[in-house]
Amino acid sequence: MNIIVCIKQVPNTMDVQIDPETGRLKREGVESVINSFDEYAIEEGVRIKERTGGKVIAVTMGPPQAESVLREAVSKGADEAVLVSDRAFGGADTLATSYALSSAIKFIGSYDIILCGEQASDGDTAQVGPEIAETLNIPHVAYIKKIESIDKKSIKVERMMEDGCDLIESPIPVLLTVVKEINTPRIVSLKGKMAAKKAIIKILNASDVGADTKRTGLNGSPTQVMKIFAPPQRTGVGEKFSGSAKEVAVALVKRLSEIRII
Ligand SMILES: Cc1cc2nc3c(=O)[nH]c(=O)nc-3n(C[C@H](O)[C@H](O)[C@H](O)COP(=O)(O)OP(=O)(O)OC[C@H]3O[C@@H](n4cnc5c(N)ncnc54)[C@H](O)[C@@H]3O)c2cc1C
């Protein structure tokens, strides 16, 4: 099986701050990491390869510094790494992002399974995976927590639902988005670290992948972020009780019964 894993470089969300002047995320000096859901996608890709043979190709669209997440993917078992990078891809919304990634995937050619994370921790839309599948005109199944079985023509997967699981069979090629319950990513080995250091990262631009630049970046984005802001802190709500633990507990019970919660 040839497996393509789409991975995104995201800011370490604990550190993200918004510039009050420009309303943009302050990315300078903020550590970038691999989107956590994508680590599970890489691990699952490597496990499928170990079962069926073939190779895992990690793909990211982003600026040159996104190379670091591709090296991380190689350290975790990916065989090849592709950086899709061009100024023409800048300012992309999810539609333009998925178009650029689909163009790169078409260029890469033969694939059986495309794996994505459930969502990215910064954009958080969970749209890119299904949009890639729609652009490539292949089936997709989201929120996969288990691969039951797989052969050359079809795959059976468990999709996580709020109140249980769906067992779904799909023809191959297929795009799957995975949840964290699917596996426990392995610890990177010394061999993996060495492979990551030596890996040759293939860089593809818009013309390499034959992308129509009317459909990429800002040009290809029907949606634009008008403003990013932290919601104002709510004031005047909430009550604080002080005193000893016993006094606070008594005051809380009295207040809750006054407002008929208990
Ligand atoms: C309405 C709207 C407007 C936007 N406008 C802008 C803008 O003007 N400028 C701007 O810079 N950004 C903009 N963004 C952000 C940009 O669209 C997202 O960073 C990008 O499209 C990915 O979407 P996401 O983060 O929601 O990913 P999700 O859809 O949540 O990601 C799901 C999965 O898709 C894959 N994936 C996602 N992105 C990539 C990637 N780049 N490479 C490889 N795999 C990937 C990963 O497997 C990931 O786990 C906008 C977003 C929205 C919703």
Short mmCIF file of all heavy atoms in Angstrom, two decimals, residues 98-155:
data_model
loop_
_atom_site.label_atom_id
_atom_site.label_comp_id
_atom_site.label_asym_id
_atom_site.label_seq_id
_atom_site.Cartn_x
_atom_site.Cartn_y
_atom_site.Cartn_z
N SER A 98 -6.74 22.79 0.54
CA SER A 98 -7.00 21.42 0.09
C SER A 98 -6.75 21.30 -1.42
O SER A 98 -6.32 20.24 -1.88
CB SER A 98 -8.41 20.97 0.46
OG SER A 98 -9.34 21.88 -0.02
N TYR A 99 -6.98 22.38 -2.18
CA TYR A 99 -6.69 22.33 -3.61
C TYR A 99 -5.18 22.15 -3.83
O TYR A 99 -4.75 21.32 -4.64
CB TYR A 99 -7.19 23.60 -4.31
CG TYR A 99 -6.74 23.68 -5.74
CD1 TYR A 99 -7.26 22.81 -6.71
CD2 TYR A 99 -5.76 24.59 -6.13
CE1 TYR A 99 -6.81 22.85 -8.02
CE2 TYR A 99 -5.30 24.63 -7.45
CZ TYR A 99 -5.83 23.76 -8.39
OH TYR A 99 -5.38 23.79 -9.69
N ALA A 100 -4.37 22.93 -3.09
CA ALA A 100 -2.91 22.83 -3.25
C ALA A 100 -2.43 21.43 -2.87
O ALA A 100 -1.62 20.82 -3.58
CB ALA A 100 -2.22 23.89 -2.39
N LEU A 101 -2.95 20.92 -1.75
CA LEU A 101 -2.53 19.57 -1.32
C LEU A 101 -2.98 18.51 -2.32
O LEU A 101 -2.24 17.58 -2.64
CB LEU A 101 -3.08 19.27 0.08
CG LEU A 101 -2.39 20.02 1.22
CD1 LEU A 101 -3.18 19.90 2.52
CD2 LEU A 101 -0.95 19.51 1.43
N SER A 102 -4.20 18.66 -2.84
CA SER A 102 -4.70 17.67 -3.83
C SER A 102 -3.85 17.70 -5.09
O SER A 102 -3.56 16.66 -5.68
CB SER A 102 -6.14 17.99 -4.24
OG SER A 102 -6.94 18.16 -3.14
N SER A 103 -3.45 18.91 -5.51
CA SER A 103 -2.60 19.02 -6.71
C SER A 103 -1.29 18.29 -6.47
O SER A 103 -0.79 17.57 -7.34
CB SER A 103 -2.32 20.48 -7.05
OG SER A 103 -3.51 21.20 -7.18
N ALA A 104 -0.72 18.46 -5.26
CA ALA A 104 0.54 17.79 -4.94
C ALA A 104 0.35 16.27 -4.90
O ALA A 104 1.19 15.51 -5.39
CB ALA A 104 1.07 18.30 -3.60
N ILE A 105 -0.78 15.84 -4.34
CA ILE A 105 -1.04 14.39 -4.24
C ILE A 105 -1.20 13.79 -5.64
O ILE A 105 -0.67 12.72 -5.94
CB ILE A 105 -2.27 14.12 -3.33
CG1 ILE A 105 -1.92 14.48 -1.88
CG2 ILE A 105 -2.73 12.67 -3.44
CD1 ILE A 105 -3.08 14.53 -0.93
N LYS A 106 -1.91 14.52 -6.52
CA LYS A 106 -2.06 14.05 -7.91
C LYS A 106 -0.68 13.93 -8.56
O LYS A 106 -0.38 12.99 -9.29
CB LYS A 106 -2.89 15.04 -8.72
CG LYS A 106 -4.36 14.78 -8.66
CD LYS A 106 -5.05 15.66 -9.70
CE LYS A 106 -6.48 15.90 -9.30
NZ LYS A 106 -7.06 17.11 -9.83
N PHE A 107 0.18 14.93 -8.28
CA PHE A 107 1.53 14.93 -8.86
C PHE A 107 2.33 13.73 -8.35
O PHE A 107 3.04 13.08 -9.11
CB PHE A 107 2.23 16.25 -8.52
CG PHE A 107 3.65 16.31 -8.98
CD1 PHE A 107 3.95 16.63 -10.30
CD2 PHE A 107 4.70 16.04 -8.12
CE1 PHE A 107 5.27 16.67 -10.74
CE2 PHE A 107 6.01 16.07 -8.55
CZ PHE A 107 6.30 16.40 -9.87
N ILE A 108 2.19 13.45 -7.03
CA ILE A 108 2.93 12.32 -6.45
C ILE A 108 2.49 11.02 -7.14
O ILE A 108 3.28 10.12 -7.38
CB ILE A 108 2.71 12.25 -4.92
CG1 ILE A 108 3.40 13.44 -4.25
CG2 ILE A 108 3.21 10.94 -4.33
CD1 ILE A 108 2.99 13.68 -2.81
N GLY A 109 1.19 10.96 -7.46
CA GLY A 109 0.70 9.84 -8.26
C GLY A 109 0.10 8.74 -7.46
O GLY A 109 -0.80 8.99 -6.66
N SER A 110 0.65 7.52 -7.58
CA SER A 110 -0.05 6.35 -7.08
C SER A 110 -0.16 6.34 -5.56
O SER A 110 0.83 6.49 -4.84
CB SER A 110 0.67 5.11 -7.61
OG SER A 110 1.13 4.32 -6.57
N TYR A 111 -1.38 6.24 -5.06
CA TYR A 111 -1.63 6.15 -3.61
C TYR A 111 -2.86 5.27 -3.38
O TYR A 111 -3.74 5.17 -4.23
CB TYR A 111 -1.85 7.55 -2.99
CG TYR A 111 -2.99 8.30 -3.64
CD1 TYR A 111 -4.30 8.12 -3.22
CD2 TYR A 111 -2.77 9.16 -4.71
CE1 TYR A 111 -5.35 8.78 -3.84
CE2 TYR A 111 -3.80 9.82 -5.34
CZ TYR A 111 -5.09 9.62 -4.89
OH TYR A 111 -6.14 10.26 -5.52
N ASP A 112 -2.87 4.60 -2.22
CA ASP A 112 -4.01 3.77 -1.85
C ASP A 112 -4.82 4.42 -0.73
O ASP A 112 -6.04 4.38 -0.73
CB ASP A 112 -3.52 2.38 -1.41
CG ASP A 112 -2.73 1.70 -2.52
OD1 ASP A 112 -3.36 1.34 -3.52
OD2 ASP A 112 -1.49 1.59 -2.39
N ILE A 113 -4.09 4.96 0.24
CA ILE A 113 -4.76 5.55 1.40
C ILE A 113 -4.14 6.91 1.68
O ILE A 113 -2.91 7.06 1.68
CB ILE A 113 -4.60 4.64 2.64
CG1 ILE A 113 -5.29 3.29 2.36
CG2 ILE A 113 -5.21 5.28 3.89
CD1 ILE A 113 -5.08 2.28 3.43
N ILE A 114 -5.00 7.90 1.93
CA ILE A 114 -4.53 9.21 2.39
C ILE A 114 -5.01 9.35 3.83
O ILE A 114 -6.19 9.13 4.12
CB ILE A 114 -5.09 10.37 1.54
CG1 ILE A 114 -4.72 10.17 0.06
CG2 ILE A 114 -4.57 11.71 2.05
CD1 ILE A 114 -5.38 11.16 -0.89
N LEU A 115 -4.08 9.67 4.72
CA LEU A 115 -4.45 9.84 6.14
C LEU A 115 -4.27 11.30 6.53
O LEU A 115 -3.27 11.94 6.17
CB LEU A 115 -3.56 8.97 7.03
CG LEU A 115 -3.73 7.46 6.88
CD1 LEU A 115 -2.61 6.74 7.62
CD2 LEU A 115 -5.08 7.01 7.44
N CYS A 116 -5.24 11.81 7.28
CA CYS A 116 -5.14 13.16 7.85
C CYS A 116 -5.49 13.06 9.32
O CYS A 116 -6.12 12.08 9.76
CB CYS A 116 -6.17 14.09 7.20
SG CYS A 116 -5.79 14.56 5.52
N GLY A 117 -5.12 14.10 10.07
CA GLY A 117 -5.61 14.19 11.44
C GLY A 117 -7.08 14.59 11.42
O GLY A 117 -7.59 15.06 10.40
N GLU A 118 -7.74 14.40 12.56
CA GLU A 118 -9.15 14.78 12.67
C GLU A 118 -9.32 16.29 12.42
O GLU A 118 -10.23 16.73 11.74
CB GLU A 118 -9.59 14.42 14.10
CG GLU A 118 -10.93 14.93 14.51
CD GLU A 118 -11.15 14.81 16.01
OE1 GLU A 118 -10.39 14.09 16.70
OE2 GLU A 118 -12.09 15.44 16.50
N GLN A 119 -8.41 17.08 12.97
CA GLN A 119 -8.46 18.53 12.80
C GLN A 119 -7.10 19.11 13.18
O GLN A 119 -6.29 18.42 13.78
CB GLN A 119 -9.56 19.14 13.67
CG GLN A 119 -9.33 18.97 15.14
CD GLN A 119 -10.59 19.20 15.96
OE1 GLN A 119 -11.49 18.37 15.95
NE2 GLN A 119 -10.65 20.33 16.62
N ALA A 120 -6.92 20.40 12.83
CA ALA A 120 -5.67 21.06 13.23
C ALA A 120 -5.94 21.87 14.49
O ALA A 120 -7.03 22.42 14.67
CB ALA A 120 -5.20 21.96 12.10
N SER A 121 -4.92 21.98 15.34
CA SER A 121 -5.16 22.64 16.63
C SER A 121 -5.23 24.16 16.51
O SER A 121 -5.71 24.82 17.40
CB SER A 121 -4.07 22.25 17.63
OG SER A 121 -2.82 22.65 17.13
N ASP A 122 -4.80 24.72 15.36
CA ASP A 122 -4.94 26.19 15.22
C ASP A 122 -6.18 26.57 14.41
O ASP A 122 -7.08 27.21 14.91
CB ASP A 122 -3.66 26.82 14.65
CG ASP A 122 -3.21 26.22 13.32
OD1 ASP A 122 -3.76 25.20 12.90
OD2 ASP A 122 -2.30 26.81 12.70
N GLY A 123 -6.26 26.11 13.15
CA GLY A 123 -7.43 26.42 12.32
C GLY A 123 -8.68 25.71 12.84
O GLY A 123 -9.77 26.26 12.86
N ASP A 124 -8.50 24.43 13.21
CA ASP A 124 -9.55 23.70 13.95
C ASP A 124 -10.83 23.44 13.17
O ASP A 124 -11.87 23.18 13.76
CB ASP A 124 -9.89 24.54 15.20
CG ASP A 124 -10.21 23.67 16.39
OD1 ASP A 124 -9.90 22.47 16.35
OD2 ASP A 124 -10.76 24.20 17.37
N THR A 125 -10.78 23.54 11.83
CA THR A 125 -12.04 23.40 11.09
C THR A 125 -12.42 21.96 10.76
O THR A 125 -13.57 21.67 10.50
CB THR A 125 -11.99 24.15 9.74
OG1 THR A 125 -10.99 23.54 8.93
CG2 THR A 125 -11.68 25.63 9.92
N ALA A 126 -11.43 21.08 10.69
CA ALA A 126 -11.64 19.68 10.28
C ALA A 126 -12.17 19.59 8.84
O ALA A 126 -12.86 18.64 8.48
CB ALA A 126 -12.57 18.96 11.25
N GLN A 127 -11.88 20.61 8.03
CA GLN A 127 -12.40 20.63 6.66
C GLN A 127 -11.41 20.10 5.63
O GLN A 127 -11.80 19.57 4.59
CB GLN A 127 -12.75 22.08 6.26
CG GLN A 127 -13.94 22.63 7.02
CD GLN A 127 -14.17 24.10 6.73
OE1 GLN A 127 -13.46 24.71 5.93
NE2 GLN A 127 -15.16 24.68 7.37
N VAL A 128 -10.11 20.26 5.91
CA VAL A 128 -9.11 20.02 4.86
C VAL A 128 -9.14 18.56 4.37
O VAL A 128 -9.12 18.32 3.16
CB VAL A 128 -7.70 20.45 5.33
CG1 VAL A 128 -6.63 20.00 4.35
CG2 VAL A 128 -7.64 21.97 5.48
N GLY A 129 -9.21 17.59 5.29
CA GLY A 129 -9.22 16.18 4.88
C GLY A 129 -10.36 15.89 3.91
O GLY A 129 -10.12 15.50 2.75
N PRO A 130 -11.63 16.08 4.36
CA PRO A 130 -12.75 15.80 3.44
C PRO A 130 -12.67 16.61 2.14
O PRO A 130 -13.03 16.10 1.07
CB PRO A 130 -13.98 16.20 4.27
CG PRO A 130 -13.54 16.01 5.70
CD PRO A 130 -12.08 16.37 5.73
N GLU A 131 -12.16 17.84 2.21
CA GLU A 131 -12.07 18.65 0.97
C GLU A 131 -11.04 18.07 0.00
O GLU A 131 -11.25 18.12 -1.21
CB GLU A 131 -11.71 20.10 1.31
CG GLU A 131 -12.88 20.89 1.88
CD GLU A 131 -12.50 22.31 2.28
OE1 GLU A 131 -11.30 22.64 2.30
OE2 GLU A 131 -13.40 23.07 2.61
N ILE A 132 -9.95 17.52 0.53
CA ILE A 132 -8.96 16.87 -0.37
C ILE A 132 -9.64 15.70 -1.09
O ILE A 132 -9.51 15.54 -2.31
CB ILE A 132 -7.73 16.35 0.44
CG1 ILE A 132 -6.92 17.51 1.01
CG2 ILE A 132 -6.84 15.47 -0.45
CD1 ILE A 132 -5.80 17.07 1.96
N ALA A 133 -10.39 14.90 -0.32
CA ALA A 133 -11.05 13.74 -0.93
C ALA A 133 -12.04 14.19 -2.01
O ALA A 133 -12.10 13.59 -3.09
CB ALA A 133 -11.77 12.93 0.15
N GLU A 134 -12.80 15.24 -1.72
CA GLU A 134 -13.77 15.74 -2.71
C GLU A 134 -13.05 16.22 -3.97
O GLU A 134 -13.49 15.96 -5.08
CB GLU A 134 -14.59 16.89 -2.12
CG GLU A 134 -15.62 16.44 -1.08
CD GLU A 134 -16.67 15.52 -1.66
OE1 GLU A 134 -17.20 15.82 -2.73
OE2 GLU A 134 -16.95 14.46 -1.05
N THR A 135 -11.93 16.93 -3.77
CA THR A 135 -11.19 17.45 -4.94
C THR A 135 -10.62 16.30 -5.77
O THR A 135 -10.59 16.36 -7.00
CB THR A 135 -10.05 18.39 -4.47
OG1 THR A 135 -10.59 19.30 -3.52
CG2 THR A 135 -9.45 19.17 -5.62
N LEU A 136 -10.16 15.25 -5.08
CA LEU A 136 -9.59 14.10 -5.81
C LEU A 136 -10.68 13.13 -6.29
O LEU A 136 -10.38 12.15 -6.98
CB LEU A 136 -8.62 13.33 -4.90
CG LEU A 136 -7.34 14.07 -4.49
CD1 LEU A 136 -6.57 13.27 -3.44
CD2 LEU A 136 -6.45 14.34 -5.71
N ASN A 137 -11.92 13.40 -5.86
CA ASN A 137 -13.06 12.55 -6.23
C ASN A 137 -12.87 11.10 -5.74
O ASN A 137 -13.08 10.14 -6.49
CB ASN A 137 -13.26 12.60 -7.75
CG ASN A 137 -14.66 12.16 -8.12
OD1 ASN A 137 -15.56 12.19 -7.27
ND2 ASN A 137 -14.83 11.73 -9.35
N ILE A 138 -12.45 10.97 -4.47
CA ILE A 138 -12.35 9.64 -3.85
C ILE A 138 -13.21 9.64 -2.58
O ILE A 138 -13.51 10.72 -2.04
CB ILE A 138 -10.88 9.25 -3.50
CG1 ILE A 138 -10.26 10.26 -2.50
CG2 ILE A 138 -10.03 9.14 -4.75
CD1 ILE A 138 -8.92 9.80 -1.94
N PRO A 139 -13.59 8.46 -2.07
CA PRO A 139 -14.39 8.44 -0.83
C PRO A 139 -13.57 8.87 0.38
O PRO A 139 -12.34 8.81 0.35
CB PRO A 139 -14.83 6.98 -0.70
CG PRO A 139 -14.01 6.20 -1.65
CD PRO A 139 -13.38 7.13 -2.63
N HIS A 140 -14.26 9.33 1.42
CA HIS A 140 -13.56 9.64 2.67
C HIS A 140 -14.41 9.24 3.85
O HIS A 140 -15.65 9.21 3.77
CB HIS A 140 -13.19 11.12 2.76
CG HIS A 140 -14.37 12.04 2.75
ND1 HIS A 140 -15.05 12.41 3.89
CD2 HIS A 140 -14.98 12.68 1.73
CE1 HIS A 140 -16.01 13.24 3.56
NE2 HIS A 140 -16.00 13.41 2.26
N VAL A 141 -13.72 8.87 4.94
CA VAL A 141 -14.42 8.57 6.19
C VAL A 141 -13.68 9.31 7.30
O VAL A 141 -12.45 9.21 7.40
CB VAL A 141 -14.41 7.04 6.50
CG1 VAL A 141 -15.40 6.75 7.62
CG2 VAL A 141 -14.74 6.21 5.27
N ALA A 142 -14.43 10.05 8.12
CA ALA A 142 -13.81 10.86 9.17
C ALA A 142 -13.89 10.16 10.53
O ALA A 142 -14.65 9.21 10.71
CB ALA A 142 -14.49 12.22 9.24
N TYR A 143 -13.07 10.63 11.47
CA TYR A 143 -13.09 10.18 12.88
C TYR A 143 -12.83 8.68 13.03
O TYR A 143 -13.54 7.98 13.75
CB TYR A 143 -14.42 10.56 13.55
CG TYR A 143 -14.73 12.02 13.44
CD1 TYR A 143 -15.86 12.47 12.76
CD2 TYR A 143 -13.89 12.97 14.00
CE1 TYR A 143 -16.14 13.82 12.63
CE2 TYR A 143 -14.15 14.32 13.87
CZ TYR A 143 -15.27 14.73 13.18
OH TYR A 143 -15.53 16.08 13.05
N ILE A 144 -11.81 8.18 12.34
CA ILE A 144 -11.52 6.73 12.39
C ILE A 144 -10.76 6.39 13.67
O ILE A 144 -9.75 7.00 13.99
CB ILE A 144 -10.67 6.31 11.17
CG1 ILE A 144 -11.43 6.60 9.89
CG2 ILE A 144 -10.29 4.82 11.24
CD1 ILE A 144 -12.83 6.08 9.87
N LYS A 145 -11.29 5.40 14.42
CA LYS A 145 -10.59 4.98 15.65
C LYS A 145 -9.98 3.59 15.52
O LYS A 145 -9.20 3.18 16.38
CB LYS A 145 -11.52 5.05 16.87
CG LYS A 145 -12.67 4.08 16.86
CD LYS A 145 -13.34 4.05 18.20
CE LYS A 145 -12.55 3.25 19.20
NZ LYS A 145 -13.39 2.38 20.03
N LYS A 146 -10.32 2.89 14.44
CA LYS A 146 -9.70 1.56 14.25
C LYS A 146 -9.78 1.13 12.79
O LYS A 146 -10.81 1.37 12.14
CB LYS A 146 -10.46 0.54 15.12
CG LYS A 146 -9.80 -0.80 15.18
CD LYS A 146 -10.48 -1.71 16.17
CE LYS A 146 -9.78 -3.05 16.18
NZ LYS A 146 -10.58 -4.10 16.76
N ILE A 147 -8.70 0.52 12.31
CA ILE A 147 -8.77 -0.11 11.00
C ILE A 147 -8.98 -1.60 11.26
O ILE A 147 -8.13 -2.26 11.85
CB ILE A 147 -7.50 0.15 10.17
CG1 ILE A 147 -7.44 1.66 9.87
CG2 ILE A 147 -7.49 -0.67 8.89
CD1 ILE A 147 -6.32 2.13 9.00
N GLU A 148 -10.14 -2.10 10.87
CA GLU A 148 -10.51 -3.50 11.15
C GLU A 148 -9.78 -4.44 10.22
O GLU A 148 -9.21 -5.42 10.67
CB GLU A 148 -12.03 -3.67 10.94
CG GLU A 148 -12.88 -3.14 12.07
CD GLU A 148 -13.00 -4.16 13.19
OE1 GLU A 148 -12.80 -5.36 12.94
OE2 GLU A 148 -13.27 -3.73 14.33
N SER A 149 -9.85 -4.14 8.93
CA SER A 149 -9.18 -5.02 7.95
C SER A 149 -8.91 -4.22 6.69
O SER A 149 -9.53 -3.18 6.45
CB SER A 149 -10.05 -6.23 7.63
OG SER A 149 -11.23 -5.79 7.02
N ILE A 150 -7.98 -4.74 5.92
CA ILE A 150 -7.58 -4.01 4.72
C ILE A 150 -7.07 -5.01 3.68
O ILE A 150 -6.38 -5.96 4.03
CB ILE A 150 -6.49 -2.99 5.12
CG1 ILE A 150 -6.10 -2.07 4.01
CG2 ILE A 150 -5.26 -3.63 5.66
CD1 ILE A 150 -5.32 -0.87 4.52
N ASP A 151 -7.51 -4.83 2.43
CA ASP A 151 -6.90 -5.62 1.36
C ASP A 151 -6.70 -4.70 0.15
O ASP A 151 -6.88 -3.49 0.28
CB ASP A 151 -7.71 -6.88 1.03
CG ASP A 151 -9.11 -6.56 0.57
OD1 ASP A 151 -9.27 -5.58 -0.18
OD2 ASP A 151 -10.06 -7.27 0.97
N LYS A 152 -6.35 -5.29 -1.00
CA LYS A 152 -5.97 -4.43 -2.13
C LYS A 152 -7.12 -3.56 -2.62
O LYS A 152 -6.91 -2.49 -3.17
CB LYS A 152 -5.47 -5.30 -3.28
CG LYS A 152 -4.05 -5.71 -3.05
CD LYS A 152 -3.45 -6.35 -4.28
CE LYS A 152 -1.98 -6.60 -4.01
NZ LYS A 152 -1.44 -7.71 -4.68
N LYS A 153 -8.37 -4.06 -2.40
CA LYS A 153 -9.50 -3.34 -2.99
C LYS A 153 -10.34 -2.56 -1.99
O LYS A 153 -11.05 -1.63 -2.36
CB LYS A 153 -10.41 -4.36 -3.71
CG LYS A 153 -9.75 -4.88 -4.96
CD LYS A 153 -10.76 -5.55 -5.82
CE LYS A 153 -10.14 -5.90 -7.17
NZ LYS A 153 -10.78 -7.01 -7.79
N SER A 154 -10.32 -3.00 -0.71
CA SER A 154 -11.22 -2.33 0.23
C SER A 154 -10.66 -2.30 1.65
O SER A 154 -9.70 -3.01 1.98
CB SER A 154 -12.59 -3.02 0.23
OG SER A 154 -12.46 -4.29 0.80
N ILE A 155 -11.31 -1.46 2.45
CA ILE A 155 -10.86 -1.29 3.83
C ILE A 155 -12.11 -1.22 4.72
O ILE A 155 -13.13 -0.67 4.31
CB ILE A 155 -10.00 0.00 3.95
CG1 ILE A 155 -9.38 0.16 5.33
CG2 ILE A 155 -10.77 1.26 3.59
CD1 ILE A 155 -8.25 1.18 5.37
#
